[in-house]
Structure formats: structure tokens, C-alpha cells
């Protein structure tokens, strides 16, 4: 696929798959943060566990005046565990929408610092958010609800939110949650900080490619038409109810063949999500 494009910072809820160890990608992350800060944007960074060690690594990684940015409220370094814990442990029954409200408070606190004595006026805010704590805390269902509602309820007018996942985390997910995860984000982020706008048709294309890899193209097209005619599984329903699509796929192909198809599609999705 060649739908990669560079876009502006503000107003997007994006997803990024860190396909290598984070330590191998710190430099790229820190360089991007430095570009934001020098360019007049504020940053909330939550991809590591120890803020003090992160600050030291950022200094060594070449972020100019990093301590000044922290003191002025332009750079907010939070541990990935504390962010998600603060969103999930205060009330175990909270809905995704209430968790988004809590996340909005982080944005509000940053905005309140903007332009105050001693602080620069922010052009906008970039939030680099680690989604992996939800796996570690065993609360992924609530996290998916959080992702679903994030783009609708987070104040994104002058905010960018990038949700970072590690490869080993997404490897735990089946096809259905992967399809939903793509649908909940507007952009995918890749090497060189290129943003690719993601549309439902892109997911359908990957599904077709996965089917073609296991079945021949003619049979793939016939299968999709049959699923639509017999079960009403059109493209819109595949995206909105992928678990129904997967269930009907197993009825049509049997578990062994369906497992091959699902494996092919999920691998293509992970590859398309990769930061590189």
C-alpha cells in the first residue's frame, strides 16, 4: 500500500505499532519531541516507566534544554503505569467515557499552564500515550472502550494523541479487536513521522489480500459475496462487527482454513501498523 502522507500535528487520534524494542527507537521518539518543543508545542510523554530515568535519557538523546521545558510545563513526563492506573483504579466500574473525561483533565492542566508567567504560549499539545499498561493491568476490555470513545470525546481541536502499542502486545490480539483498533483511529504513524490516513476501505483491502493469500482471488470474491448474501456481512458490518464476520468465516470455511485466513489477515494488519 502506498497511502503514506505527511500531515499537520493537530486534531488527530492516531495509532503506532513499535515493531522493535523501544530502546532502539528512543532516538526517533526523542528527536520528534525535540522538534515539537522547539516548534512551540507542548508534549505529554508516557511511554516509559521511570520519569527520572527518561529525563536523563532525553538529555543524553539530544533534547535541548530539556529540564527548562519540564520546569516551564512544556514537557510533562509521566510513567506509563501511573497514567493508566489513575484512569482505571479510582473506580473499577467506570465506563470508557468517564475514563476519557479523566484523560481530558491532563489536557486541561497542560492548557492552563500555557501563556502563564514564565511559560510559553503553546501552539498545541502532542500526547504520546502507552497503551501497553492496559495489557499489564489486565484491563484491555476497558481500554478498548476508552479507545472507541477517545476520538469522539477528547478535546482534539488543538491536540494530537498517538496511542503506542508494542508488537508483543498486539500479538496477543485476535483479528476482531485488531480491526476495531484500526477503526477507532484516524491515522497510523510510521518511520520518519509520516502519517497515513486510515479508512475502512483500507481494512477491507487487507482482508481481501489475506483471503487471496489462502484462497485464490476468484474464490475470495465469491466467499465475500456469499457471506454478504447469506449473513448480511457487508463491508460496513465487517468493520463494525468483526466478531460476526470471523464467526461466519469459520462457518463457511471450517476452523482449519479459517485459522489460516485469520492468521494471514492479522499479519498484514500488524505489518501495516508498524512504525518500522
Amino acid at each position: 500500500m502506498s497511502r503514506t502522507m505527511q500531515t499537520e500535528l493537530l486534531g488527530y487520534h492516531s495509532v503506532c505499532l513499535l515493531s522493535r524494542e523501544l530502546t532502539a527507537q528512543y532516538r526517533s521518539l526523542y528527536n520528534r519531541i525535540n522538534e515539537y518543543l522547539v516548534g512551540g508545542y507542548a508534549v505529554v510523554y508516557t511511554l516509559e516507566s521511570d520519569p527520572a530515568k527518561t529525563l536523563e535519557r532525553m538529555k543524553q538523546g539530544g533534547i535541548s534544554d530539556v529540564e527548562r521545558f519540564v520546569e516551564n510545563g512544556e514537557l510533562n513526563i509521566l510513567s506509563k503505569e501511573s497514567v493508566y492506573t489513575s484512569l482505571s483504579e479510582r473506580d473499577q466500574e467506570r465506563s470508557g467515557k468517564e475514563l476519557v473525561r479523566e484523560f481530558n483533565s491532563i489536557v486541561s492542566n497542560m492548557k492552563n499552564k500555557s501563556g502563564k508567567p514564565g511559560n510559553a504560549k503553546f501552539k498545541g499539545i502532542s500526547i504520546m500515550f502507552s497503551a501497553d499498561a492496559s495489557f499489564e493491568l489486565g484491563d484491555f476490555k476497558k481500554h478498548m472502550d476508552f479507545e472507541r470513545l477517545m476520538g469522539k470525546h477528547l478535546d482534539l481541536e488543538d491536540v494530537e494523541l498517538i496511542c503506542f502499542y508494542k508488537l508483543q502486545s498486539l500479538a496477543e490480539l485476535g483479528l476482531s479487536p485488531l480491526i476495531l483498533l484500526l477503526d477507532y483511529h484516524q491515522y497510523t504513524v510510521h518511520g520518519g513521522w509520516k502519517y497515513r490516513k486510515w479508512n475502512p476501505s483500507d481494512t477491507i483491502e487487507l482482508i481481501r489480500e489475506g483471503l487471496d493469500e489462502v484462497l485464490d482471488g476468484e474464490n475470495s470474491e465469491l466467499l465475500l459475496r456469499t457471506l454478504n448474501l447469506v449473513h448480511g456481512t457487508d463491508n460496513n458490518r465487517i468493520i463494525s462487527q468483526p466478531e460476526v464476520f470471523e464467526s461466519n468465516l469459520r462457518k463457511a470455511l471450517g476452523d482449519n482454513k479459517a485459522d489460516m485466513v485469520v492468521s494471514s489477515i492479522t499479519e498484514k494488519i500488524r505489518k501495516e501498523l508498524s512504525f518500522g
Side-chain angles (χ1 to χ4, degrees):
M1 294 187 181
S2 58
R3 296 179 295 275
T4 301
M5 59 175 288
Q6 187 70 41
T7 188
E8 293 295 330
L9 161 67
L10 304 179
Y12 300 118
H13 178 205
S14 305
V15 59
C16 180
L17 171 60
L18 296 172
S19 53
R20 294 179 288 145
E21 285 297 318
L22 183 57
T23 52
Q25 297 178 318
Y26 280 154
R27 182 167 295 278
S28 180
L29 291 167
Y30 295 167
N31 285 342
R32 184 62 166 177
I33 291 170
N34 192 52
E35 290 175 2
Y36 284 169
L37 295 171
V38 172
Y41 295 93
V43 176
V44 180
Y45 180 80
T46 78
L47 270 65
E48 301 174 48
S49 295
D50 189 327
K53 290 182 179 179
T54 300
L55 182 62
E56 286 302 312
R57 278 192 286 263
M58 286 182 172
K59 288 168 63 177
Q60 296 171 9
I63 296 184
S64 56
D65 298 325
V66 63
E67 291 177 328
R68 178 176 62 82
F69 285 125
V70 171
E71 291 171 3
N72 292 345
E74 295 161 88
L75 175 59
N76 190 6
I77 304 172
L78 304 170
S79 76
K80 63 178 182 179
E81 294 84 3
S82 68
V83 170
Y84 199 83
T85 300
S86 69
L87 297 178
S88 62
E89 285 192 350
R90 295 180 192 175
D91 185 343
Q92 292 297 326
E93 300 303 316
R94 286 189 168 192
S95 68
K97 187 172 182 179
E98 288 170 318
L99 298 182
V100 171
R101 188 177 300 122
E102 291 289 344
F103 210 91
N104 268 320
S105 70
I106 296 175
V107 174
S108 296
N109 289 336
M110 293 293 288
K111 287 184 175 181
N112 288 337
K113 297 175 182 178
S114 177
K116 289 192 173 180
N119 292 348
K121 178 70 175 176
F122 306 152
K123 292 181 181 178
I125 302 172
S126 175
I127 304 174
M128 296 183 174
F129 175 56
S130 171
D132 286 287
S134 65
F135 292 87
E136 296 162 10
L137 293 168
D139 203 7
F140 189 72
K141 182 177 180 181
K142 187 177 293 185
H143 175 79
M144 286 294 283
D145 193 36
F146 170 68
E147 288 276 42
R148 177 179 66 85
L149 294 166
M150 182 65 76
K152 299 177 182 179
H153 297 283
L154 184 67
D155 180 8
L156 286 171
E157 181 180 351
D158 54 358
V159 175
E160 168 193 61
L161 173 65
I162 307 178
C163 299
F164 287 87
Y165 290 80
K166 292 181 183 177
L167 182 61
Q168 57 264 41
S169 296
L170 287 193
E172 300 177 18
L173 297 184
L175 176 60
S176 296
L178 274 177
I179 291 175
L180 290 174
L181 195 65
L182 277 173
D183 190 44
Y184 295 160
H185 295 85
Q186 298 165 304
Y187 283 81
T188 57
V189 183
H190 305 274
W193 295 96
K194 293 179 179 178
Y195 291 62
R196 183 177 61 213
K197 186 172 178 59
W198 197 267
N199 297 303
S201 60
D202 298 325
T203 303
I204 297 300
E205 183 178 340
L206 289 178
I207 289 172
R208 289 180 183 276
E209 290 176 5
L211 285 166
D212 287 344
E213 191 169 82
V214 178
L215 313 170
D216 64 60
E218 183 177 343
N219 286 340
S220 300
E221 189 60 36
L222 177 61
L223 175 64
L224 288 174
R225 288 202 303 267
T226 300
L227 291 179
N228 188 15
L229 288 171
V230 175
H231 301 289
T233 313
D234 60 8
N235 289 352
N236 290 333
R237 196 177 185 196
I238 289 174
I239 300 300
S240 63
Q241 295 179 289
E243 71 284 353
V244 174
F245 165 70
E246 187 172 344
S247 174
N248 291 334
L249 194 66
R250 293 186 179 282
K251 292 175 184 176
L253 297 176
D255 283 339
N256 289 339
K257 184 73 74 171
D259 284 342
M260 294 171 63
V261 169
V262 168
S263 177
S264 176
I265 297 171
T266 53
E267 180 60 29
K268 291 181 183 300
I269 290 176
R270 292 184 189 117
K271 184 177 180 181
E272 285 296 319
L273 280 175
S274 176
F275 182 78

